[in-house]
Amino acid sequence: MSTIRTEKNLQNITTAHPDGIGGSPLRPDGILKVRGEFAYSSDMWHENMLWGMALRSPHAHARILSVDISEAVKHPGVEAVMTHEDIPGAKYYGLEIKDQPALAMGKIRYHGEAIAIVAADHPETARRALAKIKVEYEILPTITTEEQCLDPETYGYVHEPDEYKGHASGNVVHSQKLISGLGVTDEVRALADVVIKGDYVVGMQDQAFLGPESGLAVPAEDGGVDLYIATQWLHVDREQIAPVLGLPENKVRLTLAGVGGAFGGREDLSMQIHACLLAQRTGKPVKIVYSREESFFGHVHRHPAKLTYEHGATRDGKLVYCDARIVLDGGAYASASPAVVGNAASLGMGPYEVPNVNMLAVALYSNNPSCGAMRGFGAVQACFAYEAQMDKLAAELGMDPVELRQINAVEQGSIMPTGQEIDAPAPVADLLRRVKALPLPQELDTTHLDVRDIPGALSNTSHGEGIVRGVGYAVGIKNVGFSEGFDDYSTARVRLEVIGGEPVAMVHTAMAEVGQGGVTVHGQIARTELGVEQVTIHPANTEVGSAGSTSASRQTYMTGGAVKLACEAVRNELVALGRKRYGWDYNDLSLVGGKVVSASAGVLVPIADLLGDTAIDLTREHHHRPTVPFDKETGQGFGHVQYTFCAHRAVVDVDVELGLVKVVELAAAQDVGKALNPLSVVGQIQGGSTQGLGLAVMEEIVVKDGKVRNPSFTDYLIPTILDTPPMPVEVLELADEHAPYGLRGVGEAPTLSSTPAVVAAIRAATGLALNRVPVRPEHLTGTGE
Amino acid sequence: MEFLRPATWDEALAAKAEHPSALPISGGTDVMVELNFDRHRPSALLDLNRISELTAWESGRYEGQEGEVIRLGAAVPYTRITRELSAELPGLALAGNTVGSPQIRNRGSVGGNLGGASPAGDAHPALLAAGRDVLVEAESVRGTRLIPIDEFYVGVKRNSLEPDELIRAVRIPVADGPQQFSKIGTRNAMVIAVCAFGIALHPKNGTVGTGIGSAAPTPRRAVEAEEFIAGELAERGLWQSGGLIGPAAIQRFGELVAAAASPIDDVRGTAAYRRHALAVMARRTLTWTWNEYTQSLRSAA
């Protein structure tokens, strides 16, 4: 996989170190993970440990008439059986709206909702005890379609009005309007020569992380709980757990356990409260590990969406207006739905200058599985729709689809439909130019076929028959960090001391390493800023301040920025120590190779000698520049911290008779501001592209009448190596002066444009409209839904 | 749950007689999934891994079967079938190559497919196509029973084994003509069949064998399609001439294969797609096998 590196606009860095920033040192967890030796959260063990397990509803909507736990309690080996009645504190929790009961109270709102929990000496004992709990249900009609959700008078409420206080009631979780320019009126429509309309559907994608939800809760002598947990944000977990346990936050201490992937699916709580409740009740450590099937019910998914778009343009391809409506199915509980709505509305025009906009985005409550955070977060759904629109418009105008995008592309200085100016590089047209300029992969050689290279692969469905190639393009825009006035600051503590004669930096944050490589980057930053060889990474826990969430492409920006600030503070104190001791008055000092160096006077003193027995231990917070909430009626406001852009070109082979697809190549170009770790950056871009490919052609949780039909990796398919093509990546580094090192969040942007690029290529090969993802063989062969 | 570990075949038969509800396990690629998903809690597992003869195959001649026969031990993994028997059992070798992942193919076996009798088992279409005299060796302490493959599958995930019987081997005639196997999955590897099709030309007796997978309650042949195409080949003297079958007959063959299926709509695919895909696979695999046959005629001439 070739990586082509292009122009740079580097900021001055304190020191150069091969394993400092801009290098690609190996990840400390990499070899362990490849060898299967890494300890994941599901591998933990404690003496006298009990196993926790939850009883889940087989129904999507029901009234609970009675729960009889008497037989389960008597089951030998069972140490606790708990229902909502046994919860010592608050009964509800939630990421943004506290609408979710820790254990079902009176009502079931989705298939798989937890009703009771058991702690027992063995998982099989717990399973048998669960089978002895008798629950009487009154099954209710499900509220699952948009029509049903929006007509509560006829179909009812998922949450009764006023059921939780202070928020909009009814079946709308959140809505956001956005109007810019003149809006979309008859007068505005009259300005357009061409009008393109489309209805689009995005299916429910799952994060499909490989490490199931798991953790270990250990009761402490002070009446508190120590929880070892795989999560994305330790502090916000604690904020939600402590009130339910009836404990102050300082008695609930969290330490990050090995995380096997997240992608947004660990932003909400899963087994955390249950394990802690059982540990509190039994006085013994309690471990909970979800099975693969339970995992599909144990976390939120990507919002499925219905999107209606109408674009007007002039004959020469300039966009005049866009009228759009995005309906997101939020499922039974709010999770991150409000923020997802904000993203869908504010980013729903794509990276294009659209003078007149009318947009409405809403998330609905339903009896479908809860949906929340997943890589791309509201921007993925919109990107599929607006990019399909761009291709339709180009076809209507007889224009090249890349050229159409380029003439409408935003650039630095453009004003977003929210009124926010893009005040950093926005090389959208250039990214498109770059993916288009890459050499195309070789044509299929049908005389020397390797079936692994064609649709169907080893399934041996074609020896060259029916195969048509297509090429498609797409580009997207994503925000970095939390938006709409949220101060998602990060904290870092850095300690510099001499160990074994060497200066050693220790970096302590609460950042969740979920596989993104943050621990590698923290080491690089410390080496660069402090000129030391040895860096140790302290386990992430709540003993230090919040690091915010490992999501929203924000961790390198935010916690990386906090580590940089803490290192700078340590460096300043070290230099102050030298000034005091040696009377230095140099203004050209830096830390290089374990020494304090003056540019004019050369090496002054080894850091180890300067420090002696002193340890410098400082903690700093990093806040991004403030944003504001979007105006409820107009969507106007400086809502986002930073924008990030990625473009894709997809090349596919389609067996048009069988409807099978093989993505031949998926090329990407992305501006990352500054690649702190170029290898990780390419890995993120390729990983995000692959997840987008999955949504394009296979990944969907199938839900019927609120019931999940495919809760397994047998039937929820994710790409294998034979589905994952070569992915050439062009990395641009155009610094954003607002960000540490000029960097730009990387992880999500590639997930956006990958999906529409693949589908555009399939459209090019088949001539079909394809308004829904994932595209299934049925859609390509006219054989059903 | 009891875990029985017989050291010999006779011990295994005795254990099965004593525990008729014991579930045999070899590679575990199917059984362990069922256990892990908590779909099945058998009273006992009967581990066959210590019985080495089950992972061996031999060729020879057997009563009741024409020509040379491969006697394939029930636990010979797919990896070895594909590697060692692709000339003798080409259809089964191709089918074996589509099973799961390399790791699954290292453990999974034809005996497991037959024991589970899932309509989606990849071996079934190839076994059905290989001919009516494919025989399953079913044994118990009461003796040996040879079950013709056509009588083996009796319902959804049900076979015609008696509770005390174990599958020892499968006797499959060595291919006397080209064989092919195609399978539809919604990704390019590691999929359970949405539908599958096996075909075998039998120039010796002028028949064509077929097998349909994942498109009916049981694996089944497309009997009308077999008879139609065999009739075409015979009437037009094509077996001898090696001439083209022609698009009309190939089309008709595909239609008859699709008609032989009784697929359902499920989470893996629609019934309409399954019928459509079966017709396409039938046309393509018939063309491939016939091309191979005519080439062999020409090179023999």
Side-chain angles (χ1 to χ4, degrees), chain A residues 124 127 292-293 454-463 465-466 655 657-658 660-662 697-698 702 709-715 717-720 722-723 776-778 781 783-785, chain B residues 1 33 36-39 41 94 97-98 105 180-192 194 265-274 276-278 280-281 283-285 287-288:
Chain A
E124 185 63 28
R127 203 173 286 126
R292 177 57 57 197
E293 183 175 8
I454 62 176
L458 289 179
S459 292
N460 192 39
T461 46
S462 169
H463 292 171
E465 301 96 324
D655 183 331
E657 273 190 292
L658 286 173
L660 301 177
V661 176
K662 172 105 178 165
V697 295
M698 64 182 82
V702 180
R709 305 265 321 274
N710 55 342
S712 72
F713 281 159
T714 307
D715 285 316
L717 300 182
I718 54 178
T720 68
L722 280 182
D723 302 286
R776 296 181 54 88
E778 281 83 352
T781 52
T783 51
E785 277 304 292
Chain B
M1 188 190 303
V33 174
N36 286 335
F37 270 88
D38 206 15
R39 288 197 193 115
R41 280 278 183 275
L94 280 167
N97 213 21
T98 75
R105 295 197 281 274
Q180 279 290 346
F181 176 86
S182 272
K183 158 176 155 181
I184 301 284
T186 31
R187 71 179 166 196
N188 289 300
M190 265 180 84
V191 275
I192 294 202
V194 171
D265 289 330
D266 67 14
V267 73
R268 291 178 192 146
T270 63
Y273 176 72
R274 288 183 160 105
H276 168 81
L278 279 170
V280 176
M281 289 192 290
R283 295 199 299 264
R284 288 183 181 176
T285 53
T287 307
W288 301 340

Side-chain angles (χ1 to χ4, degrees), chain A residues 722-781:
Chain A
L722 280 182
D723 302 286
T724 309
M727 291 186 276
V729 175
E730 285 218 27
V731 176
L732 261 70
E733 296 184 283
L734 306 178
D736 176 353
E737 61 179 33
H738 309 96
Y741 303 115
L743 73 83
R744 209 181 277 279
V746 174
E748 290 172 289
T751 317
L752 271 59
S753 44
S754 157
T755 307
V758 169
V759 178
I762 302 172
R763 286 190 199 106
T766 61
L768 297 168
L770 305 178
N771 291 331
R772 183 190 196 286
V773 280
V775 175
R776 296 181 54 88
E778 281 83 352
H779 304 146
L780 299 176
T781 52

Side-chain angles (χ1 to χ4, degrees), chain A residues 102-187:
Chain A
L103 288 166
M105 294 169 57
K107 204 172 173 190
I108 294 297
R109 295 188 180 84
Y110 74 98
H111 178 203
E113 183 155 9
I115 299 162
I117 46 177
V118 167
D121 56 7
H122 190 278
E124 185 63 28
T125 313
R127 203 173 286 126
R128 288 179 191 186
L130 289 182
K132 290 186 172 175
I133 298 175
K134 296 187 196 78
V135 183
E136 262 189 289
Y137 300 97
E138 179 195 339
I139 297 169
L140 302 171
T142 54
I143 307 163
T144 56
T145 66
E146 180 188 343
E147 186 203 352
Q148 290 167 345
C149 293
L150 291 176
D151 184 4
E153 295 302 315
T154 308
Y155 298 99
Y157 290 92
V158 177
H159 298 263
E160 293 305 318
D162 303 323
E163 200 162 3
Y164 47 86
K165 294 159 194 74
H167 291 283
S169 55
N171 291 327
V172 175
V173 191
H174 188 73
S175 69
Q176 178 67 58
K177 288 182 202 158
L178 191 153
I179 294 169
S180 78
L182 303 169
V184 179
T185 59
D186 289 348
E187 289 75 20

Side-chain angles (χ1 to χ4, degrees), chain B residues 142-157:
Chain B
R142 298 175 289 116
T144 303
R145 197 157 67 98
L146 294 176
I147 307 173
I149 194 70
D150 276 1
E151 295 164 22
F152 187 78
Y153 311 107
V154 295
V156 179
K157 297 196 174 188

Side-chain angles (χ1 to χ4, degrees), chain A residues 642-708:
Chain A
Q642 185 186 50
Y643 294 105
T644 171
F645 309 91
C646 182
H648 279 94
R649 181 188 70 194
V651 180
V652 305
D653 281 337
V654 182
D655 183 331
V656 295
E657 273 190 292
L658 286 173
L660 301 177
V661 176
K662 172 105 178 165
V663 182
V664 175
E665 190 197 80
L666 188 53
Q670 184 168 341
D671 175 23
V672 304
K674 162 71 187 169
L676 263 58
N677 184 319
L679 188 62
S680 291
V681 160
V682 171
Q684 282 287 334
I685 295 170
Q686 292 177 333
S689 301
T690 306
Q691 217 152 8
L693 181 160
L695 176 59
V697 295
M698 64 182 82
E699 293 192 38
E700 183 175 12
I701 292 188
V702 180
V703 182
K704 199 169 180 206
D705 299 327
K707 298 261 180 84
V708 176

Side-chain angles (χ1 to χ4, degrees), chain A residues 7-38:
Chain A
E7 65 251 53
K8 300 189 173 201
N9 182 7
L10 295 181
Q11 299 208 323
N12 286 329
I13 302 305
T14 319
T15 67
H17 186 290
D19 285 346
I21 73 164
S24 292
L26 291 182
R27 354 172 14 133
D29 50 344
I31 288 171
L32 290 173
K33 282 177 174 171
V34 171
R35 284 190 178 153
E37 292 167 353
F38 184 82

